[in-house]
Coordinates of all heavy atoms in Angstrom, one line a residue:
D161 N 4.6 -12.0 15.0 CA 3.7 -12.7 15.9 C 2.4 -13.2 15.3 O 1.9 -14.2 15.5 CB 3.4 -11.9 17.2 CG 4.6 -11.7 18.1 OD1 5.6 -12.4 17.9 OD2 4.5 -10.8 19.0
R162 N 1.9 -12.3 14.4 CA 0.6 -12.6 13.8 C 0.6 -13.4 12.5 O -0.3 -14.1 12.3 CB -0.1 -11.2 13.6 CG -1.5 -11.3 13.3 CD -2.3 -10.5 14.2 NE -3.7 -10.7 13.9 CZ -4.6 -9.7 13.7 NH1 -4.2 -8.5 13.8 NH2 -5.9 -10.0 13.5
F163 N 1.6 -13.2 11.7 CA 1.6 -13.7 10.4 C 2.7 -14.7 10.0 O 2.7 -15.2 8.9 CB 1.6 -12.6 9.3 CG 0.4 -11.7 9.5 CD1 0.5 -10.4 10.0 CD2 -0.9 -12.1 9.2 CE1 -0.6 -9.6 10.1 CE2 -2.0 -11.3 9.4 CZ -1.8 -10.0 9.9
V164 N 3.6 -14.9 10.9 CA 4.7 -15.8 10.6 C 4.6 -17.0 11.6 O 4.5 -16.8 12.8 CB 6.1 -15.1 10.8 CG1 7.2 -16.1 10.6 CG2 6.2 -14.0 9.7
Q165 N 4.6 -18.2 11.0 CA 4.6 -19.4 11.9 C 5.9 -20.0 11.9 O 6.6 -20.1 10.9 CB 3.5 -20.3 11.4 CG 3.6 -20.7 10.0 CD 2.3 -21.4 9.5 OE1 1.5 -21.7 10.3 NE2 2.2 -21.7 8.2
K166 N 6.4 -20.4 13.1 CA 7.7 -21.0 13.2 C 7.6 -22.5 13.2 O 6.7 -23.1 13.8 CB 8.3 -20.5 14.5 CG 8.5 -19.0 14.5 CD 9.4 -18.6 15.6 CE 9.6 -17.2 15.8 NZ 9.4 -16.2 14.9
N167 N 8.4 -23.1 12.4 CA 8.5 -24.6 12.3 C 9.6 -25.0 13.2 O 10.8 -24.9 12.9 CB 8.8 -25.0 10.9 CG 8.7 -26.5 10.7 OD1 8.9 -27.2 11.6 ND2 8.5 -26.9 9.5
P168 N 9.3 -25.6 14.4 CA 10.3 -25.9 15.4 C 11.3 -27.0 14.9 O 12.4 -27.1 15.3 CB 9.6 -26.3 16.6 CG 8.2 -26.6 16.2 CD 8.0 -25.9 14.9
R169 N 10.8 -27.9 14.0 CA 11.6 -29.0 13.6 C 12.8 -28.5 12.8 O 13.9 -28.9 13.0 CB 10.8 -30.0 12.8 CG 11.5 -31.3 12.5 CD 10.5 -32.4 12.2 NE 9.5 -32.0 11.2 CZ 9.3 -32.6 10.1 NH1 10.0 -33.6 9.8 NH2 8.4 -32.1 9.2
D170 N 12.6 -27.7 11.8 CA 13.7 -27.2 11.0 C 14.1 -25.8 11.3 O 14.9 -25.2 10.6 CB 13.5 -27.5 9.5 CG 12.2 -26.9 9.0 OD1 11.6 -26.0 9.7 OD2 11.8 -27.3 7.9
K171 N 13.5 -25.2 12.3 CA 13.9 -23.8 12.7 C 13.9 -22.8 11.6 O 14.8 -21.9 11.6 CB 15.2 -23.8 13.5 CG 15.1 -24.7 14.7 CD 16.4 -24.7 15.4 CE 16.3 -25.5 16.7 NZ 17.5 -25.8 17.4
I172 N 12.9 -22.8 10.8 CA 12.7 -21.7 9.8 C 11.3 -21.1 10.0 O 10.4 -21.7 10.5 CB 12.9 -22.2 8.3 CG1 11.9 -23.3 8.0 CG2 14.3 -22.7 8.1 CD1 11.9 -23.7 6.5
A173 N 11.2 -19.9 9.5 CA 10.0 -19.2 9.6 C 9.3 -19.2 8.2 O 10.0 -19.0 7.2 CB 10.2 -17.7 10.1
K174 N 8.0 -19.4 8.2 CA 7.3 -19.4 7.0 C 6.1 -18.4 7.1 O 5.4 -18.4 8.0 CB 6.7 -20.8 6.7 CG 7.8 -21.9 6.5 CD 7.2 -23.2 6.2 CE 8.3 -24.2 6.0 NZ 7.7 -25.6 5.8
V175 N 6.0 -17.6 6.0 CA 4.9 -16.7 6.0 C 3.6 -17.5 5.7 O 3.6 -18.3 4.9 CB 5.1 -15.6 4.9 CG1 3.9 -14.7 4.8 CG2 6.3 -14.8 5.2
K176 N 2.6 -17.2 6.5 CA 1.3 -17.9 6.4 C 0.7 -17.6 5.0 O 0.8 -16.4 4.6 CB 0.3 -17.6 7.5 CG 0.8 -18.0 8.8 CD -0.2 -17.6 9.9 CE 0.2 -18.0 11.2 NZ -0.7 -17.6 12.3
G177 N 0.2 -18.5 4.3 CA -0.4 -18.3 3.0 C 0.7 -18.6 1.9 O 1.8 -18.8 2.3
K178 N 0.3 -18.5 0.7 CA 1.2 -18.9 -0.4 C 2.0 -17.7 -0.9 O 3.2 -17.9 -1.2 CB 0.4 -19.5 -1.6 CG -0.3 -20.8 -1.2 CD -1.0 -21.3 -2.4 CE -1.7 -22.6 -2.1 NZ -2.5 -23.1 -3.1
H179 N 1.4 -16.6 -1.0 CA 2.1 -15.4 -1.5 C 1.4 -14.1 -1.1 O 0.3 -14.2 -0.6 CB 2.3 -15.5 -3.0 CG 1.0 -15.5 -3.7 ND1 0.1 -16.6 -3.7 CD2 0.3 -14.5 -4.4 CE1 -1.0 -16.3 -4.4 NE2 -0.9 -15.1 -4.8
S180 N 2.0 -13.0 -1.4 CA 1.2 -11.8 -1.2 C 1.5 -10.9 -2.4 O 2.5 -11.0 -3.1 CB 1.6 -11.1 0.1 OG 3.0 -10.7 0.0
E181 N 0.6 -10.0 -2.7 CA 0.8 -9.0 -3.7 C 0.8 -7.6 -3.1 O 0.2 -7.4 -2.0 CB -0.4 -9.1 -4.7 CG -0.6 -10.4 -5.4 CD 0.5 -10.7 -6.4 OE1 1.0 -9.7 -7.0 OE2 0.7 -11.9 -6.7
S182 N 1.3 -6.7 -3.8 CA 1.3 -5.4 -3.2 C 1.3 -4.3 -4.3 O 1.7 -4.6 -5.5 CB 2.4 -5.1 -2.3 OG 3.6 -5.0 -3.0
C183 N 1.0 -3.1 -3.9 CA 1.1 -2.0 -4.8 C 2.1 -1.0 -4.1 O 1.8 -0.6 -3.0 CB -0.3 -1.4 -4.9 SG -0.3 0.3 -5.5
K184 N 3.2 -0.7 -4.7 CA 4.2 0.1 -4.1 C 4.6 1.3 -5.0 O 4.9 1.0 -6.1 CB 5.4 -0.7 -3.7 CG 6.5 0.1 -3.0 CD 7.6 -0.8 -2.6 CE 8.6 0.0 -1.8 NZ 9.8 -0.8 -1.5
T185 N 4.7 2.4 -4.4 CA 5.3 3.5 -5.2 C 6.7 3.8 -4.7 O 7.0 3.6 -3.5 CB 4.5 4.8 -5.0 OG1 4.4 5.2 -3.6 CG2 3.1 4.6 -5.5

Side-chain angles (χ1 to χ4, degrees):
D161 291 346
R162 191 127 185 228
F163 301 109
V164 175
Q165 51 192 356
K166 298 192 186 334
N167 184 338
R169 193 160 45 125
D170 54 15
K171 296 182 181 172
I172 60 171
K174 296 180 180 176
V175 176
K176 294 179 182 177
K178 293 181 182 174
H179 63 285
S180 65
E181 299 288 335
S182 75
C183 160
K184 181 177 181 183
T185 59

